[in-house]
Amino acid sequence: MVRAFGEMSIREIQAGLAAKEFSAAEVARGTFERIAAADEVVHSFLETTEELAADAAARIDKAIAEGRLAEMGPLAGVPVGYKDNMNLTGTHTTCSSNMLRNYVSPYTATCVENTLRAGALPIGKLNMDEFAFGSSTETSAFGPTRNPWDIERVPGGSSGGSAAAVAAGLVPVTLGSDTGGSIRQPGAFCGLVAVKPTYGVVSRYGVVAFGSSLDQVGPFARSVEDAALALNALAGRDELDCTSQPSDVDFTANLAEGVAGMKIGIVPAFMNAQGLTSEVRAKVEEAAAALEKMGAELVEVDLPHAQAAMSAYYVLGPCEAFSNLARFDSVRYGYCDPGHKDLGSQYEASRHEGFGAEARRRIMLGSYLLSAGVYEKYYYPAQQVRTLITRDYAAAYEKVDVILSPVAPRTAFKFGEIGDPTEMYLSDMFTISINIAGNGGMSVPVGLGADTHLPVGVQLIAPPFKDANMLRAAAALETVYGAAPVAPDFADGKAGA
Protein backbone atom coordinates (compact mmCIF):
# COMPACT_ATOMS: atom_id res chain seq x y z
CA MET A 1 0.00 0.00 0.00
CA VAL A 2 1.35 3.44 -0.96
CA ARG A 3 1.63 5.78 2.02
CA ALA A 4 -1.14 8.34 1.61
CA PHE A 5 0.45 11.69 2.49
CA GLY A 6 -2.43 13.29 0.61
CA GLU A 7 -4.80 12.10 3.35
CA MET A 8 -2.85 13.90 6.08
CA SER A 9 -3.52 17.42 7.30
CA ILE A 10 -0.93 20.17 7.00
CA ARG A 11 -0.17 19.94 10.72
CA GLU A 12 0.24 16.16 10.54
CA ILE A 13 2.70 16.40 7.66
CA GLN A 14 4.72 19.09 9.38
CA ALA A 15 4.71 17.26 12.71
CA GLY A 16 6.00 14.15 10.94
CA LEU A 17 8.73 16.15 9.23
CA ALA A 18 9.76 17.82 12.49
CA ALA A 19 9.91 14.46 14.27
CA LYS A 20 11.86 13.03 11.32
CA GLU A 21 9.33 10.23 10.86
CA PHE A 22 9.74 10.89 7.15
CA SER A 23 11.51 13.41 4.95
CA ALA A 24 10.08 15.95 2.52
CA ALA A 25 11.66 13.90 -0.27
CA GLU A 26 9.67 10.88 0.92
CA VAL A 27 6.50 13.02 0.97
CA ALA A 28 7.10 14.03 -2.64
CA ARG A 29 7.89 10.49 -3.82
CA GLY A 30 4.96 9.02 -1.94
CA THR A 31 2.59 11.60 -3.43
CA PHE A 32 3.63 10.78 -6.99
CA GLU A 33 3.35 7.05 -6.28
CA ARG A 34 -0.15 7.64 -4.96
CA ILE A 35 -1.11 9.64 -8.06
CA ALA A 36 0.28 6.91 -10.32
CA ALA A 37 -1.77 4.30 -8.46
CA ALA A 38 -5.10 6.14 -8.22
CA ASP A 39 -5.39 8.99 -10.71
CA GLU A 40 -5.96 6.78 -13.73
CA VAL A 41 -9.47 6.34 -12.36
CA VAL A 42 -10.06 9.99 -11.42
CA HIS A 43 -8.07 11.85 -14.11
CA SER A 44 -7.48 14.93 -11.98
CA PHE A 45 -3.87 15.65 -13.02
CA LEU A 46 -2.86 16.68 -16.54
CA GLU A 47 0.86 16.96 -15.73
CA THR A 48 3.03 16.13 -12.74
CA THR A 49 6.18 18.00 -11.75
CA GLU A 50 8.56 15.53 -10.15
CA GLU A 51 11.73 17.60 -10.62
CA LEU A 52 10.23 20.78 -9.21
CA ALA A 53 8.87 18.88 -6.22
CA ALA A 54 12.21 17.17 -5.61
CA ASP A 55 14.00 20.53 -5.63
CA ALA A 56 11.47 22.02 -3.19
CA ALA A 57 11.70 18.94 -0.96
CA ALA A 58 15.50 19.23 -0.87
CA ARG A 59 15.16 22.80 0.42
CA ILE A 60 12.75 21.68 3.13
CA ASP A 61 14.95 18.76 4.19
CA LYS A 62 17.95 21.09 4.39
CA ALA A 63 15.95 23.43 6.61
CA ILE A 64 14.92 20.51 8.83
CA ALA A 65 18.55 19.45 9.20
CA GLU A 66 19.41 23.00 10.25
CA GLY A 67 16.45 23.32 12.62
CA ARG A 68 14.67 25.90 10.47
CA LEU A 69 11.45 24.12 9.48
CA ALA A 70 9.28 26.67 11.31
CA GLU A 71 10.81 29.42 9.17
CA MET A 72 9.88 27.81 5.86
CA GLY A 73 6.26 28.96 5.80
CA PRO A 74 2.71 27.76 6.46
CA LEU A 75 2.85 25.16 3.67
CA ALA A 76 6.34 23.80 4.39
CA GLY A 77 6.62 20.27 3.05
CA VAL A 78 2.97 20.12 1.93
CA PRO A 79 2.10 18.76 -1.55
CA VAL A 80 0.02 21.29 -3.52
CA GLY A 81 -1.60 21.00 -6.96
CA TYR A 82 -2.61 23.84 -9.27
CA LYS A 83 -5.52 24.33 -11.63
CA ASP A 84 -4.18 24.36 -15.17
CA ASN A 85 -4.97 28.03 -15.77
CA MET A 86 -2.18 29.02 -13.38
CA ASN A 87 1.24 29.58 -14.90
CA LEU A 88 4.25 27.75 -13.47
CA THR A 89 7.56 28.19 -15.23
CA GLY A 90 8.49 25.22 -17.39
CA THR A 91 5.11 23.49 -17.16
CA HIS A 92 2.31 23.33 -19.68
CA THR A 93 -0.52 25.75 -18.94
CA THR A 94 -3.26 24.51 -21.24
CA CYS A 95 -6.51 25.69 -19.61
CA SER A 96 -7.63 22.21 -20.75
CA SER A 97 -7.91 23.53 -24.30
CA ASN A 98 -6.48 22.43 -27.62
CA MET A 99 -5.71 26.11 -28.17
CA LEU A 100 -2.92 25.89 -25.54
CA ARG A 101 -2.10 22.18 -25.76
CA ASN A 102 1.61 22.81 -26.35
CA TYR A 103 2.01 26.09 -24.45
CA VAL A 104 4.82 26.11 -21.86
CA SER A 105 4.78 28.82 -19.21
CA PRO A 106 7.70 31.27 -19.31
CA TYR A 107 6.80 32.69 -15.88
CA THR A 108 5.00 31.79 -12.63
CA ALA A 109 1.69 33.16 -11.37
CA THR A 110 1.91 35.08 -8.12
CA CYS A 111 -0.53 32.74 -6.35
CA VAL A 112 1.65 29.77 -7.29
CA GLU A 113 4.84 31.63 -6.36
CA ASN A 114 3.36 32.49 -2.96
CA THR A 115 2.75 28.82 -2.19
CA LEU A 116 6.30 27.98 -3.22
CA ARG A 117 7.66 30.71 -0.96
CA ALA A 118 5.52 29.23 1.81
CA GLY A 119 7.35 25.90 1.39
CA ALA A 120 4.88 23.94 -0.74
CA LEU A 121 5.93 20.97 -2.84
CA PRO A 122 4.55 21.64 -6.37
CA ILE A 123 2.94 18.42 -7.56
CA GLY A 124 1.42 19.35 -10.91
CA LYS A 125 -1.36 20.86 -12.98
CA LEU A 126 -5.01 19.89 -12.63
CA ASN A 127 -7.81 19.32 -15.09
CA MET A 128 -10.60 21.87 -15.56
CA ASP A 129 -13.41 22.93 -17.86
CA GLU A 130 -11.88 24.53 -20.94
CA PHE A 131 -10.86 28.10 -20.06
CA ALA A 132 -13.02 27.66 -16.92
CA PHE A 133 -16.23 27.59 -18.99
CA GLY A 134 -18.37 24.97 -17.31
CA SER A 135 -19.73 23.45 -14.13
CA SER A 136 -18.78 19.79 -14.57
CA THR A 137 -15.23 19.52 -16.03
CA GLU A 138 -16.85 17.80 -19.02
CA THR A 139 -15.65 20.50 -21.44
CA SER A 140 -11.95 19.69 -20.95
CA ALA A 141 -10.22 18.91 -24.24
CA PHE A 142 -8.32 16.16 -22.41
CA GLY A 143 -11.31 14.26 -21.07
CA PRO A 144 -13.42 14.65 -17.94
CA THR A 145 -12.39 14.26 -14.34
CA ARG A 146 -14.46 11.82 -12.28
CA ASN A 147 -15.91 12.42 -8.83
CA PRO A 148 -14.11 10.16 -6.33
CA TRP A 149 -17.38 9.67 -4.42
CA ASP A 150 -18.98 8.12 -7.50
CA ILE A 151 -16.92 7.84 -10.66
CA GLU A 152 -20.08 7.86 -12.78
CA ARG A 153 -20.69 11.44 -11.63
CA VAL A 154 -19.07 14.79 -12.30
CA PRO A 155 -16.82 16.47 -9.72
CA GLY A 156 -18.29 19.88 -10.55
CA GLY A 157 -16.45 22.64 -12.32
CA SER A 158 -14.70 24.43 -13.57
CA SER A 159 -12.13 23.48 -10.90
CA GLY A 160 -13.14 19.82 -10.98
CA GLY A 161 -9.60 18.46 -11.13
CA SER A 162 -8.58 20.52 -8.11
CA ALA A 163 -11.53 19.23 -6.08
CA ALA A 164 -11.22 15.59 -7.14
CA ALA A 165 -7.50 15.44 -6.31
CA VAL A 166 -8.17 16.38 -2.68
CA ALA A 167 -11.30 14.24 -2.38
CA ALA A 168 -9.32 11.20 -3.59
CA GLY A 169 -6.54 11.84 -1.09
CA LEU A 170 -3.93 12.50 -3.77
CA VAL A 171 -2.84 15.82 -2.26
CA PRO A 172 -4.00 17.70 0.84
CA VAL A 173 -4.30 21.13 -0.79
CA THR A 174 -5.01 22.41 -4.29
CA LEU A 175 -5.73 25.79 -5.82
CA GLY A 176 -8.70 26.60 -8.02
CA SER A 177 -10.22 29.72 -9.52
CA ASP A 178 -13.79 30.91 -9.10
CA THR A 179 -15.63 33.20 -11.53
CA GLY A 180 -19.21 32.29 -10.66
CA GLY A 181 -18.90 29.30 -8.33
CA SER A 182 -16.03 27.27 -9.79
CA ILE A 183 -14.39 26.64 -6.41
CA ARG A 184 -17.46 26.35 -4.19
CA GLN A 185 -19.64 24.14 -6.43
CA PRO A 186 -17.01 21.40 -6.99
CA GLY A 187 -16.13 21.72 -3.31
CA ALA A 188 -19.74 20.86 -2.47
CA PHE A 189 -19.93 18.05 -5.03
CA CYS A 190 -16.73 16.46 -3.68
CA GLY A 191 -17.36 17.11 0.00
CA LEU A 192 -14.55 19.59 0.70
CA VAL A 193 -13.76 22.90 2.31
CA ALA A 194 -13.47 25.23 -0.68
CA VAL A 195 -12.82 28.97 -0.35
CA LYS A 196 -13.35 31.87 -2.74
CA PRO A 197 -11.87 34.84 -0.89
CA THR A 198 -13.00 38.42 -1.32
CA TYR A 199 -11.99 39.79 -4.72
CA GLY A 200 -8.54 41.31 -4.27
CA VAL A 201 -7.34 39.14 -1.39
CA VAL A 202 -5.30 36.94 -3.77
CA SER A 203 -3.38 38.21 -6.80
CA ARG A 204 -4.69 37.18 -10.21
CA TYR A 205 -1.38 37.86 -11.98
CA GLY A 206 -0.40 34.84 -14.04
CA VAL A 207 -3.85 33.23 -13.92
CA VAL A 208 -5.35 32.97 -17.41
CA ALA A 209 -8.38 35.22 -17.21
CA PHE A 210 -12.01 34.30 -17.82
CA GLY A 211 -13.79 37.33 -16.30
CA SER A 212 -11.23 39.76 -14.96
CA SER A 213 -13.67 41.55 -12.64
CA LEU A 214 -15.05 38.25 -11.32
CA ASP A 215 -12.13 35.77 -11.07
CA GLN A 216 -10.58 34.93 -7.71
CA VAL A 217 -8.13 32.20 -6.66
CA GLY A 218 -8.69 30.10 -3.56
CA PRO A 219 -7.84 26.76 -1.89
CA PHE A 220 -9.45 23.33 -1.61
CA ALA A 221 -8.72 21.36 1.55
CA ARG A 222 -10.33 18.82 3.85
CA SER A 223 -10.30 21.02 6.95
CA VAL A 224 -11.01 24.66 7.67
CA GLU A 225 -7.60 25.05 9.31
CA ASP A 226 -5.82 23.73 6.21
CA ALA A 227 -7.77 26.14 4.02
CA ALA A 228 -6.93 29.01 6.39
CA LEU A 229 -3.22 28.12 6.36
CA ALA A 230 -3.30 28.08 2.57
CA LEU A 231 -4.97 31.50 2.55
CA ASN A 232 -2.22 32.81 4.84
CA ALA A 233 0.25 31.85 2.12
CA LEU A 234 -1.84 33.22 -0.76
CA ALA A 235 -3.14 36.55 0.51
CA GLY A 236 -1.48 39.91 0.04
CA ARG A 237 -0.77 42.86 -2.20
CA ASP A 238 1.00 42.18 -5.50
CA GLU A 239 2.40 45.10 -7.47
CA LEU A 240 1.78 43.08 -10.65
CA ASP A 241 -2.00 43.05 -9.98
CA CYS A 242 -3.51 46.48 -9.33
CA THR A 243 -6.72 44.91 -8.00
CA SER A 244 -4.94 43.03 -5.20
CA GLN A 245 -5.03 44.45 -1.69
CA PRO A 246 -2.71 44.33 1.33
CA SER A 247 -3.47 41.65 3.91
CA ASP A 248 -2.17 41.35 7.44
CA VAL A 249 -4.82 38.84 8.54
CA ASP A 250 -3.96 35.52 10.14
CA PHE A 251 -6.88 33.47 8.87
CA THR A 252 -6.30 30.83 11.55
CA ALA A 253 -6.49 33.27 14.46
CA ASN A 254 -10.22 33.06 15.31
CA LEU A 255 -11.05 29.52 14.25
CA ALA A 256 -11.56 28.36 17.83
CA GLU A 257 -13.77 31.26 18.92
CA GLY A 258 -17.07 29.61 18.03
CA VAL A 259 -20.19 31.40 16.84
CA ALA A 260 -21.71 32.54 20.13
CA GLY A 261 -22.93 36.08 19.57
CA MET A 262 -22.64 35.93 15.79
CA LYS A 263 -25.61 36.79 13.60
CA ILE A 264 -26.13 34.38 10.72
CA GLY A 265 -28.24 35.57 7.78
CA ILE A 266 -30.78 33.28 6.09
CA VAL A 267 -32.16 34.31 2.69
CA PRO A 268 -35.72 32.97 2.29
CA ALA A 269 -35.60 33.42 -1.48
CA PHE A 270 -32.62 31.05 -1.64
CA MET A 271 -34.23 28.45 0.60
CA ASN A 272 -37.43 28.49 -1.49
CA ALA A 273 -35.73 28.65 -4.88
CA GLN A 274 -37.14 26.54 -7.68
CA GLY A 275 -34.84 23.59 -8.39
CA LEU A 276 -33.41 23.30 -4.88
CA THR A 277 -33.70 19.63 -3.91
CA SER A 278 -35.21 18.61 -0.61
CA GLU A 279 -32.04 16.86 0.58
CA VAL A 280 -29.90 19.96 0.05
CA ARG A 281 -32.50 22.22 1.69
CA ALA A 282 -32.65 19.86 4.67
CA LYS A 283 -28.89 19.98 5.11
CA VAL A 284 -28.81 23.80 5.01
CA GLU A 285 -31.60 23.92 7.61
CA GLU A 286 -29.73 21.37 9.72
CA ALA A 287 -26.53 23.46 9.57
CA ALA A 288 -28.48 26.59 10.52
CA ALA A 289 -29.95 24.79 13.52
CA ALA A 290 -26.48 23.61 14.57
CA LEU A 291 -25.13 27.17 14.44
CA GLU A 292 -28.10 28.41 16.46
CA LYS A 293 -27.56 25.69 19.05
CA MET A 294 -23.96 26.86 19.43
CA GLY A 295 -25.09 30.38 20.26
CA ALA A 296 -25.51 32.13 16.92
CA GLU A 297 -28.61 34.16 16.15
CA LEU A 298 -30.43 33.40 12.89
CA VAL A 299 -31.69 36.50 11.08
CA GLU A 300 -33.71 36.57 7.87
CA VAL A 301 -32.23 38.95 5.29
CA ASP A 302 -33.48 40.03 1.90
CA LEU A 303 -31.44 40.20 -1.30
CA PRO A 304 -34.11 41.68 -3.58
CA HIS A 305 -32.01 41.76 -6.74
CA ALA A 306 -30.32 38.37 -6.33
CA GLN A 307 -32.76 36.79 -8.78
CA ALA A 308 -31.24 39.02 -11.48
CA ALA A 309 -27.69 37.81 -10.75
CA MET A 310 -27.80 34.96 -13.25
CA SER A 311 -28.94 37.25 -16.06
CA ALA A 312 -26.31 39.88 -15.21
CA TYR A 313 -23.54 37.27 -14.95
CA TYR A 314 -24.29 35.78 -18.36
CA VAL A 315 -23.89 39.22 -19.86
CA LEU A 316 -20.81 40.34 -17.93
CA GLY A 317 -19.00 36.98 -18.02
CA PRO A 318 -19.19 36.36 -21.80
CA CYS A 319 -18.28 39.98 -22.51
CA GLU A 320 -15.13 39.73 -20.41
CA ALA A 321 -14.37 36.26 -21.79
CA PHE A 322 -14.69 37.55 -25.36
CA SER A 323 -12.21 40.30 -24.58
CA ASN A 324 -9.75 38.03 -22.76
CA LEU A 325 -9.82 35.29 -25.41
CA ALA A 326 -9.17 37.73 -28.25
CA ARG A 327 -5.44 37.34 -27.55
CA PHE A 328 -5.51 33.75 -28.84
CA ASP A 329 -5.04 34.71 -32.49
CA SER A 330 -2.78 31.80 -33.62
CA VAL A 331 0.07 34.20 -34.37
CA ARG A 332 1.92 34.85 -31.12
CA TYR A 333 1.13 31.55 -29.37
CA GLY A 334 -1.49 28.86 -29.28
CA TYR A 335 -2.83 26.52 -31.93
CA CYS A 336 -2.19 27.59 -35.54
CA ASP A 337 -4.14 25.80 -38.25
CA PRO A 338 -1.72 25.02 -41.14
CA GLY A 339 -2.01 25.63 -44.86
CA HIS A 340 -3.73 29.02 -45.05
CA LYS A 341 -2.70 31.68 -47.55
CA ASP A 342 -4.35 34.64 -45.86
CA LEU A 343 -4.46 35.77 -42.25
CA GLY A 344 -8.25 35.95 -42.03
CA SER A 345 -8.82 32.31 -42.88
CA GLN A 346 -5.96 31.30 -40.55
CA TYR A 347 -7.57 33.18 -37.66
CA GLU A 348 -10.96 31.65 -38.33
CA ALA A 349 -9.77 28.06 -38.72
CA SER A 350 -7.35 28.23 -35.79
CA ARG A 351 -9.94 29.57 -33.38
CA HIS A 352 -12.58 27.13 -34.61
CA GLU A 353 -10.29 24.13 -34.15
CA GLY A 354 -8.52 25.42 -31.03
CA PHE A 355 -11.59 26.29 -29.00
CA GLY A 356 -14.23 23.79 -27.91
CA ALA A 357 -17.98 24.25 -28.29
CA GLU A 358 -18.60 25.99 -24.96
CA ALA A 359 -15.70 28.42 -25.48
CA ARG A 360 -16.99 29.28 -28.95
CA ARG A 361 -20.49 29.75 -27.53
CA ARG A 362 -19.27 32.28 -24.99
CA ILE A 363 -17.05 34.09 -27.48
CA MET A 364 -19.97 34.49 -29.87
CA LEU A 365 -22.29 35.64 -27.09
CA GLY A 366 -19.75 38.16 -25.82
CA SER A 367 -19.14 39.47 -29.33
CA TYR A 368 -22.85 40.01 -29.83
CA LEU A 369 -23.40 41.67 -26.44
CA LEU A 370 -20.58 44.16 -27.06
CA SER A 371 -21.64 45.03 -30.59
CA ALA A 372 -23.00 48.45 -31.58
CA GLY A 373 -26.62 48.91 -30.67
CA VAL A 374 -26.63 45.93 -28.30
CA TYR A 375 -24.10 47.10 -25.72
CA GLU A 376 -26.43 49.77 -24.37
CA LYS A 377 -29.35 47.34 -24.16
CA TYR A 378 -27.60 44.56 -22.22
CA TYR A 379 -24.10 45.35 -20.93
CA TYR A 380 -24.84 48.70 -19.29
CA PRO A 381 -28.00 47.42 -17.52
CA ALA A 382 -26.03 44.38 -16.32
CA GLN A 383 -23.52 46.70 -14.68
CA GLN A 384 -26.40 48.58 -13.06
CA VAL A 385 -27.75 45.30 -11.69
CA ARG A 386 -24.27 44.55 -10.37
CA THR A 387 -24.37 47.76 -8.36
CA LEU A 388 -27.81 46.92 -6.98
CA ILE A 389 -26.71 43.42 -5.92
CA THR A 390 -23.61 44.85 -4.23
CA ARG A 391 -25.81 47.31 -2.32
CA ASP A 392 -28.17 44.48 -1.31
CA TYR A 393 -25.32 42.56 0.27
CA ALA A 394 -24.00 45.68 1.99
CA ALA A 395 -27.44 46.29 3.49
CA ALA A 396 -27.68 42.68 4.65
CA TYR A 397 -24.33 42.91 6.40
CA GLU A 398 -25.61 45.79 8.49
CA LYS A 399 -27.74 43.12 10.19
CA VAL A 400 -25.58 39.97 10.10
CA ASP A 401 -21.97 38.82 10.25
CA VAL A 402 -22.25 35.94 7.77
CA ILE A 403 -24.93 34.62 5.40
CA LEU A 404 -25.71 30.89 5.18
CA SER A 405 -27.14 29.44 1.96
CA PRO A 406 -27.00 26.42 -0.34
CA VAL A 407 -23.97 26.07 -2.61
CA ALA A 408 -25.63 24.17 -5.44
CA PRO A 409 -29.26 23.18 -5.95
CA ARG A 410 -28.44 19.47 -6.01
CA THR A 411 -25.67 16.96 -5.39
CA ALA A 412 -23.29 15.76 -8.12
CA PHE A 413 -25.05 14.69 -11.30
CA LYS A 414 -24.09 11.91 -13.69
CA PHE A 415 -22.01 12.42 -16.83
CA GLY A 416 -24.20 13.46 -19.72
CA GLU A 417 -27.20 13.97 -17.46
CA ILE A 418 -27.34 17.70 -18.18
CA GLY A 419 -27.01 18.46 -21.88
CA ASP A 420 -28.77 21.82 -22.08
CA PRO A 421 -26.24 24.66 -21.50
CA THR A 422 -28.88 26.82 -19.80
CA GLU A 423 -29.68 24.07 -17.32
CA MET A 424 -25.96 23.62 -16.68
CA TYR A 425 -25.62 27.32 -15.91
CA LEU A 426 -28.20 26.91 -13.12
CA SER A 427 -25.65 24.85 -11.18
CA ASP A 428 -24.23 28.20 -10.06
CA MET A 429 -27.55 29.86 -9.17
CA PHE A 430 -26.55 30.37 -5.51
CA THR A 431 -22.90 31.29 -6.06
CA ILE A 432 -22.90 33.83 -8.90
CA SER A 433 -24.16 36.83 -6.93
CA ILE A 434 -21.16 36.60 -4.59
CA ASN A 435 -18.72 37.07 -7.49
CA ILE A 436 -20.79 39.94 -8.84
CA ALA A 437 -20.61 41.71 -5.47
CA GLY A 438 -16.99 40.66 -4.80
CA ASN A 439 -17.70 39.16 -1.36
CA GLY A 440 -15.94 36.16 0.08
CA GLY A 441 -17.75 32.82 -0.02
CA MET A 442 -16.92 29.24 0.85
CA SER A 443 -18.36 25.74 0.79
CA VAL A 444 -18.34 23.64 3.96
CA PRO A 445 -19.18 19.90 3.87
CA VAL A 446 -22.12 18.90 6.06
CA GLY A 447 -22.38 15.18 5.41
CA LEU A 448 -24.30 13.20 2.81
CA GLY A 449 -27.71 13.86 1.32
CA ALA A 450 -30.54 11.65 2.52
CA ASP A 451 -31.61 10.66 -0.98
CA THR A 452 -28.45 10.40 -3.09
CA HIS A 453 -25.99 9.64 -0.25
CA LEU A 454 -23.57 12.05 -1.90
CA PRO A 455 -21.73 15.02 -0.33
CA VAL A 456 -23.64 18.21 0.38
CA GLY A 457 -22.01 21.56 1.06
CA VAL A 458 -23.43 24.70 2.62
CA GLN A 459 -22.24 28.14 1.62
CA LEU A 460 -21.02 30.77 4.05
CA ILE A 461 -20.77 34.31 2.64
CA ALA A 462 -18.83 37.11 4.34
CA PRO A 463 -18.65 40.88 3.91
CA PRO A 464 -15.75 42.13 1.75
CA PHE A 465 -12.36 41.57 3.42
CA LYS A 466 -13.96 39.91 6.44
CA ASP A 467 -13.30 36.39 5.23
CA ALA A 468 -12.22 35.48 8.76
CA ASN A 469 -15.93 35.69 9.73
CA MET A 470 -16.93 32.85 7.42
CA LEU A 471 -13.90 30.76 8.38
CA ARG A 472 -14.87 31.15 12.04
CA ALA A 473 -18.41 29.96 11.33
CA ALA A 474 -17.08 27.14 9.16
CA ALA A 475 -14.78 25.98 11.94
CA ALA A 476 -17.77 25.87 14.28
CA LEU A 477 -19.70 23.71 11.82
CA GLU A 478 -16.67 21.46 11.53
CA THR A 479 -16.94 20.67 15.25
CA VAL A 480 -20.35 19.19 14.43
CA TYR A 481 -19.68 17.47 11.11
CA GLY A 482 -15.94 16.79 11.36
CA ALA A 483 -13.24 17.44 8.80
CA ALA A 484 -13.98 16.26 5.27
CA PRO A 485 -13.17 12.59 4.75
CA VAL A 486 -11.43 11.12 1.74
CA ALA A 487 -13.94 9.47 -0.59
CA PRO A 488 -14.49 5.91 0.70
CA ASP A 489 -13.21 4.09 -2.38
CA PHE A 490 -9.92 6.00 -2.14
CA ALA A 491 -9.43 6.14 1.63
CA ASP A 492 -6.50 4.46 3.35
CA GLY A 493 -4.44 4.49 0.19
CA LYS A 494 -6.94 2.58 -1.94
CA ALA A 495 -6.91 3.27 -5.66
CA GLY A 496 -10.68 3.42 -6.16
CA ALA A 497 -13.10 1.24 -8.05
Side-chain angles (χ1 to χ4, degrees):
M1 181 183 295
V2 176
R3 188 164 190 175
F5 292 106
E7 297 188 30
M8 296 183 182
S9 70
I10 291 175
R11 300 288 192 195
E12 287 172 338
I13 290 173
Q14 293 175 343
L17 290 170
K20 298 185 178 179
E21 295 173 7
F22 45 78
S23 67
E26 288 175 307
V27 173
R29 286 196 300 270
T31 299
F32 291 118
E33 289 170 3
R34 173 82 177 125
I35 292 168
D39 199 43
E40 185 177 356
V41 176
V42 179
H43 187 47
S44 60
F45 279 90
L46 297 180
E47 178 178 12
T48 53
T49 52
E50 286 84 352
E51 290 186 11
L52 293 176
D55 290 344
R59 290 191 293 272
I60 298 299
D61 285 335
K62 183 174 186 292
I64 292 170
E66 296 171 355
R68 297 185 294 106
L69 178 61
E71 302 173 10
M72 298 304 289
L75 298 178
V78 177
V80 177
Y82 307 97
K83 187 175 180 178
D84 201 30
N85 60 350
M86 301 173 187
N87 280 277
L88 173 57
T89 303
T91 68
H92 292 87
T93 300
T94 70
C95 295
S96 290
S97 175
N98 281 321
M99 179 61 77
L100 292 174
R101 180 181 288 267
N102 298 313
Y103 178 74
V104 177
S105 299
Y107 70 109
T108 297
T110 299
C111 60
V112 177
E113 184 64 38
N114 284 350
T115 64
L116 300 180
R117 289 174 180 167
L121 309 182
I123 300 302
K125 309 297 279 296
L126 294 153
N127 201 17
M128 57 185 284
D129 280 301
E130 183 182 12
F131 283 103
F133 302 149
S135 301
S136 64
T137 317
E138 290 176 287
T139 70
S140 170
F142 307 118
T145 295
R146 299 185 178 277
N147 191 324
W149 285 85
D150 180 349
I151 62 172
E152 299 302 317
R153 296 179 184 267
V154 305
S158 63
S159 306
S162 300
V166 178
L170 307 184
V171 286
V173 175
T174 58
L175 300 190
S177 64
D178 189 311
T179 308
S182 290
I183 289 174
R184 289 158 290 158
Q185 184 249 26
F189 279 12
C190 291
L192 303 171
V193 177
V195 183
K196 184 209 84 73
T198 298
Y199 184 86
V201 166
V202 181
S203 171
R204 295 178 298 107
Y205 175 76
V207 181
V208 180
F210 166 1
S212 301
S213 72
L214 302 163
D215 298 341
Q216 188 62 181
V217 171
F220 291 88
R222 284 195 305 281
S223 73
V224 176
E225 183 184 47
D226 281 6
L229 288 167
L231 274 181
N232 282 348
L234 291 168
R237 171 68 178 163
D238 176 17
E239 63 180 17
L240 298 173
D241 175 8
C242 64
T243 66
S244 65
Q245 301 297 316
S247 176
D248 58 358
V249 177
D250 177 359
F251 292 101
T252 67
N254 67 349
L255 297 184
E257 290 182 8
V259 292
M262 291 187 76
K263 294 183 177 181
I264 308 295
I266 305 295
V267 185
F270 284 175
M271 297 303 294
N272 298 316
Q274 183 178 0
L276 179 65
T277 61
S278 59
E279 66 174 347
V280 173
R281 181 186 294 108
K283 278 295 183 181
V284 178
E285 292 171 346
E286 179 184 283
L291 291 169
E292 187 175 35
K293 186 176 181 180
M294 289 185 282
E297 179 184 352
L298 303 183
V299 180
E300 286 194 359
V301 294
D302 189 23
L303 299 173
H305 298 96
Q307 75 277 7
M310 185 75 70
S311 299
Y313 177 84
Y314 281 103
V315 172
L316 301 174
C319 287
E320 295 190 18
F322 167 70
S323 177
N324 281 319
L325 267 62
R327 72 193 69 180
F328 301 108
D329 58 9
S330 78
V331 175
R332 289 164 291 184
Y333 50 81
Y335 174 76
C336 181
D337 199 67
H340 296 274
K341 296 181 179 179
D342 64 276
L343 197 57
S345 64
Q346 178 183 308
Y347 282 162
E348 183 176 353
S350 297
R351 287 170 67 83
H352 181 272
E353 294 298 324
F355 291 125
E358 183 61 30
R360 294 197 301 271
R361 182 180 295 115
R362 302 209 190 192
I363 290 169
M364 292 171 66
L365 180 57
S367 175
Y368 170 73
L369 292 168
L370 291 174
S371 61
V374 177
Y375 173 93
E376 295 84 356
K377 184 178 180 181
Y378 293 105
Y379 185 77
Y380 185 61
Q383 291 287 21
Q384 291 176 310
V385 169
R386 182 178 206 160
T387 299
L388 293 172
I389 291 171
T390 303
R391 289 175 179 173
D392 288 348
Y393 273 105
Y397 288 124
E398 292 178 1
K399 303 176 182 178
V400 300
D401 300 300
V402 173
I403 293 172
L404 175 72
S405 82
V407 178
R410 56 175 295 176
T411 56
F413 48 88
K414 291 184 177 182
F415 288 101
E417 186 175 342
I418 299 180
D420 178 18
T422 303
E423 187 179 353
M424 184 71 77
Y425 298 161
L426 292 175
S427 295
D428 298 329
M429 61 190 295
F430 299 115
T431 54
I432 277 173
S433 63
I434 291 86
N435 296 75
I436 287 176
N439 299 337
M442 65 184 293
S443 176
V444 186
V446 289
L448 306 182
D451 300 324
T452 61
H453 306 291
L454 292 169
V456 177
V458 298
Q459 181 172 216
L460 292 165
I461 312 163
F465 300 104
K466 292 187 178 180
D467 301 305
N469 285 8
M470 65 186 185
L471 288 163
R472 174 184 168 188
L477 281 176
E478 194 172 73
T479 66
V480 176
Y481 294 98
V486 173
D489 287 345
F490 293 84
D492 302 320
K494 290 183 286 188

